Amino acid sequence: MSWVEDDADANTAPVGEERLVDPVTNPWGTTRSTGDELHTARSEQDFPEPGPVDEHGPARIVALCNQKGGVGKTTTTINLGAAIAEYGRRVLLVDFDPQGALSVGLGRLDPRELDLTVYNLLMQRDVTVEDVLLKTDVDGLDLIPSNIDLSAAEVQLVGEVAREQMLSRALRPVIDDYDVVLIDCQPSLGLLTVNALTAADGVMVPLECEFFALRGVALLMDTIQKVQERLNEDLIIDGFLGTMYDPRTLHAREVLSTIIDGFGDKVYGTVINRTVRFPDATVAGEPITRFDPSSAGANSYRELAKEVLARWPLSGHGA
């Protein structure tokens, strides 16, 4: 059975087949190994089922960051958060994108109708986290929402003292109440993203398995390094997550191979495949673990949750 439709696709081939690809569409040249093979080898490790926790907190704060849009940051924030909550952890999701996609995709909210959001938490001294927090339909999963008002904070924060630490100070009162805080960053490397990196213990970088998704990684790494040197010396890169992976295409497998070659053990063994169930779940305003709990996508995020919790330090972060 052929892998190729009627119009032969130069970027589609069986796993393991060597082929010289056009250097414009494939800068890596002849294929010696493919992402499927490397992914299979890396994903064989069976991470243990997370055990129950006797007490909660202090939370590990993770910023999901990539200046390229459409790579799966919001989808991962929602579904990873829900999967971690399934394992008995208390999870707080922070929508730190003025587009408010996380708020819409999780709670079926209309961001324009929200009276208080993360913008008010940052900019108004009389607003506390408790004023902004929203409960979700998922047990153990809470949300700090966002809307277009947050775009004004990028300008208004410029004149603030310690402007890069505003989010860190805002979250401090509830750190002991949660095991995990996931921050969904906007697709830019501006002041809001720097705030998220300054507040975070770790960074997760979702990377679409597509060539253009790799082009901005060097700039992102440079920003992370500057934050480490000047604002948050304890910040580490937790890992790179391959998303929107289509194992049928040679291009996706080669991109995944390149990610693994470049970042080694920092690449999660779990890879998130493309599926129409993710947008369906978004429209329903639910994580895929609730919308279609037996689906491959739901199981992938449960596996990622196990891997993430196993990688984190054991003390103080609900691991």
Side-chain angles (χ1 to χ4, degrees):
M1 176 178 176
S2 174
W3 283 67
V4 185
E5 300 292 340
D6 293 336
D7 53 335
D9 182 359
N11 281 335
T12 306
V15 176
E17 177 178 320
E18 291 197 349
R19 177 180 296 177
L20 184 63
V21 184
D22 187 334
V24 174
T25 58
N26 173 24
W28 301 286
T30 303
T31 303
R32 292 186 301 274
S33 62
T34 65
D36 263 359
E37 294 169 330
L38 291 172
H39 170 224
T40 299
R42 290 182 53 79
S43 61
E44 287 178 349
Q45 184 174 358
D46 186 19
F47 291 95
E49 194 89 1
V53 291
D54 297 326
E55 57 184 24
H56 299 285
R60 180 173 182 82
I61 303 176
V62 179
L64 284 89
C65 184
N66 191 327
Q67 77 272 25
K68 186 180 185 300
V71 299
K73 292 189 297 296
T74 300
T75 297
T76 296
T77 304
I78 293 172
N79 295 299
L80 176 60
I84 292 175
E86 280 189 355
Y87 292 121
R89 274 59 177 174
R90 293 200 62 192
V91 181
L92 174 62
L93 306 184
V94 181
D95 191 345
F96 216 49
D97 185 346
Q99 298 178 72
L102 177 63
S103 304
V104 174
L106 184 63
R108 287 174 288 184
L109 302 171
D110 184 346
R112 297 168 297 180
E113 296 180 356
L114 295 171
D115 294 325
L116 294 174
T117 67
V118 69
Y119 168 78
N120 305 95
L121 181 61
L122 291 178
M123 306 307 302
Q124 297 175 216
R125 294 183 179 181
D126 60 338
V127 175
T128 67
V129 178
E130 288 78 11
D131 296 330
V132 180
L133 265 178
L134 297 176
K135 299 292 182 180
T136 73
D137 294 334
V138 179
D139 290 340
L141 187 67
D142 296 339
L143 169 68
I144 295 180
S146 174
N147 61 18
I148 195 61
D149 291 345
L150 186 60
S151 61
E154 192 100 42
V155 176
Q156 295 172 0
L157 284 173
V158 170
E160 293 287 335
V161 176
R163 60 195 179 190
E164 301 91 353
Q165 299 168 357
M166 298 290 283
L167 180 61
S168 178
R169 290 199 301 274
L171 295 176
R172 195 172 298 149
V174 295
I175 292 302
D176 290 337
D177 298 332
Y178 294 92
D179 300 306
V180 181
V181 176
L182 301 179
I183 306 173
D184 182 25
C185 298
Q186 67 174 344
S188 81
L189 296 178
L191 188 51
L192 292 178
T193 298
V194 171
N195 256 267
L197 294 174
T198 302
D201 299 298
V203 186
M204 177 183 288
V205 183
L207 283 173
E208 181 185 4
C209 292
E210 196 272 337
F211 170 64
F212 287 110
L214 298 176
R215 299 187 66 184
V217 173
L219 187 57
L220 172 61
M221 299 297 288
D222 183 59
T223 299
I224 292 172
Q225 183 177 5
K226 288 178 180 177
V227 171
Q228 289 170 326
E229 292 172 350
R230 305 173 189 179
L231 297 166
N232 183 4
E233 63 181 11
D234 296 324
L235 179 67
I236 65 171
I237 296 176
D238 281 345
F240 295 83
L241 174 67
T243 63
M244 304 182 188
Y245 180 60
D246 186 347
R248 299 169 299 176
T249 66
L250 177 60
H251 180 74
R253 298 198 300 270
E254 288 190 322
V255 170
L256 182 59
S257 298
T258 302
I259 294 170
I260 294 172
D261 288 343
F263 301 108
D265 290 340
K266 285 293 184 180
V267 181
Y268 292 104
T270 306
V271 173
I272 309 301
N273 286 9
R274 285 188 183 274
T275 170
V276 297
R277 303 307 281 165
F278 287 129
D280 289 346
T282 300
V283 172
E286 293 183 329
I288 197 168
T289 50
R290 280 175 61 93
F291 178 76
D292 191 355
S294 62
S295 66
N299 290 329
S300 292
Y301 274 107
R302 291 189 185 102
E303 289 301 311
L304 178 62
K306 291 197 296 184
E307 183 175 359
V308 162
L309 291 173
R311 284 179 174 227
W312 285 348
L314 292 178
S315 60
H317 298 299

